[in-house]
Amino acid sequence: MEQPRVTANGNIGPIDSSRIPRYAGAATFARLPRLDEVDRADIAVVGVPFDSGVSYRPGARFGSNHVRESSRLLRPYNPALDISPFERVQVADAGDMAVNPFNIHEAIETIQQNALDLTADGAKLVTLGGDHTIALPLLRAASERAGAPVAMLHFDAHLDTWDTYFGAEYTHGTPFRRAVEEGILDTEAISHVGTRGPLYGVKDLEDDRRFGFGIVTSSDVFRQGVDEVVAKLRDRIGNRPLYISIDIDVLDPAHAPGTGTPEAGGITSRELLEILRGMRGMNLIGADVVEVAPAYDHAEITGVAASHVAYDLVSLMADQATATRATPNSTTEER
Ligand SMILES: N=C(N)NCCCC(=O)O
Ligand SMILES: [Zn+2]
Ligand SMILES: [Zn+2]
């Protein structure tokens, strides 16, 4: 069925929610067109329904579609950044990668290859997980496209720089140690934000520091405040190609109950969104939002938080893509 869409500047936007009720029809992220409904995309939102790397509660394989379902209420204008991202550039939902749940090595290869394919024409990816294992192949693809190791901002309750679990190297607790070992991260410019909670031992922190990570803990965000944190992070990253990986468990379980390894004392969704908005103008090349596990969610609390985070990531990318262009000529009303 033909759907009325909000379109501007030649970009095909979301289904018009003033004419087709938000709750009708199959979900795509923000009711955007599927990638196969548009010529090409400047920004593709893609799902990776994979959770074979988890150490505790399973279920993040259902996260991608849960975030899509929870994104039906997003509107086309983002007042916090004064931008209509879907008017500025073509944004589309690229659907889900078909990832083998029984073979983690094959899954990682598939994700890396699909990410390379989706970015072959210059598109940028915002990936909806899936557990945090998927960040490793996404970072491999991002650094290959950047042609250099990339800076990373990692929002998480956890370090995810542990070595192995049950002897397994590829898990949701180990992607960033592997990434450092593989030389795909610019270790002058990598930071965790929002970490907290018990560790296995002090060696976890010593290893992490040795790899080059800076840490802004959840408590630092509370004590120093968003502006100081943003200033420090911007200073450390500069204009390097930047990948942002967001584990939704960075949020306090009150703000994101639907996740696999919850830790008390997290940041709020307001703080996360404010820190992200503070990254405006940075050289953002790719991003993911992972670890949404809908079985533990209520009233889409976690799904809505994740969908708003993804929307702000898309907004930052759209802003950056058009920052040097003239203000686009808008032909639509906000809905
Ligand atoms: N990446 C996430 N969400 N969690 C890692 C937890 C690793 C552990 O079980 O110790
Ligand atoms: Zn985590
Ligand atoms: Zn994580």
Side-chain angles (χ1 to χ4, degrees):
M1 216 169 65
E2 193 61 27
Q3 307 272 31
R5 288 186 176 276
V6 182
T7 62
N9 306 309
N11 297 315
I12 302 172
I15 293 171
D16 185 343
S17 291
S18 72
R19 295 167 69 191
I20 308 283
R22 303 196 144 87
Y23 40 83
T28 57
F29 180 75
R31 308 193 86 195
L32 285 162
R34 299 190 314 263
L35 187 55
D36 62 10
E37 294 175 306
V38 293
D39 283 348
R40 64 169 296 280
D42 300 292
I43 301 170
V45 180
V46 63
V48 181
F50 173 85
D51 66 2
S52 308
V54 301
S55 56
Y56 195 47
R57 299 171 177 169
R61 66 178 60 183
F62 300 107
S64 325
N65 271 337
H66 186 64
V67 177
R68 289 190 179 98
E69 280 294 341
S70 306
S71 73
R72 291 173 178 274
L73 188 56
L74 290 171
R75 302 184 188 87
Y77 175 62
N78 186 340
L81 292 166
D82 185 24
I83 183 174
S84 297
F86 314 137
E87 294 186 8
R88 292 273 193 111
V89 293
Q90 183 62 59
V91 190
D93 188 323
D96 285 342
M97 297 186 189
V99 179
N100 188 338
F102 300 108
N103 184 332
I104 205 157
H105 299 277
E106 186 189 314
I108 286 171
E109 295 300 318
T110 304
I111 296 164
Q112 183 179 349
Q113 192 53 54
N114 285 351
L116 285 170
D117 293 346
L118 284 165
T119 53
D121 64 356
K124 288 183 179 174
L125 289 188
V126 174
T127 305
L128 307 176
D131 77 49
H132 223 153
T133 312
I134 70 171
L136 176 65
L138 294 169
L139 279 167
R140 285 181 186 165
S143 81
E144 183 168 335
R145 286 278 167 250
V150 297
M152 180 178 68
L153 266 185
H154 167 222
F155 293 86
D156 204 321
H158 309 100
L159 302 166
D160 289 357
T161 50
W162 286 295
D163 192 4
T164 58
Y165 287 85
F166 291 78
E169 288 177 295
Y170 300 102
T171 78
H172 79 155
T174 57
F176 303 121
R177 182 184 287 235
R178 297 290 92 79
V180 170
E181 289 168 351
E182 292 180 17
I184 57 179
L185 291 177
D186 180 341
T187 53
E188 299 285 300
I190 48 178
S191 282
H192 308 294
V193 183
T195 49
R196 62 191 186 272
L199 299 171
Y200 297 95
V202 72
K203 184 171 180 296
D204 297 352
L205 291 170
E206 291 163 0
D207 286 352
D208 194 81
R209 201 172 307 118
R210 186 161 41 83
F211 299 146
F213 281 93
I215 298 187
V216 177
T217 64
S218 175
S219 155
D220 291 337
V221 174
F222 172 66
R223 289 176 186 282
Q224 295 168 15
V226 165
D227 292 345
E228 195 173 321
V229 166
V230 164
K232 274 189 198 160
L233 294 173
R234 290 186 72 102
D235 192 43
R236 186 163 160 91
I237 295 158
N239 196 40
R240 295 172 163 96
L242 170 67
Y243 188 92
I244 297 184
S245 184
I246 302 178
D247 184 329
I248 205 67
D249 72 27
V250 71
L251 299 181
D252 190 87
H255 293 259
T259 195
T261 48
E263 311 280 351
I267 65 172
T268 65
S269 42
R270 182 174 57 218
E271 287 166 332
L272 175 56
L273 290 167
E274 286 295 317
I275 295 172
L276 286 178
R277 290 165 189 160
M279 296 302 131
R280 184 173 210 162
M282 311 280 291
N283 185 11
L284 180 58
I285 58 161
D288 63 59
V289 185
V290 299
E291 297 283 349
V292 174
Y296 311 96
D297 205 10
H298 310 277
E300 293 185 342
I301 297 171
T302 316
V304 167
S307 76
H308 281 243
V309 164
Y311 177 71
D312 265 49
L313 289 167
V314 169
S315 299
L316 287 174
M317 286 180 182
D319 176 62
Q320 183 193 346
T322 53
T324 49
R325 282 193 223 158
T327 306
N329 175 23
S330 169
T331 55
T332 52
E333 295 172 327
E334 311 306 342
R335 299 192 193 279

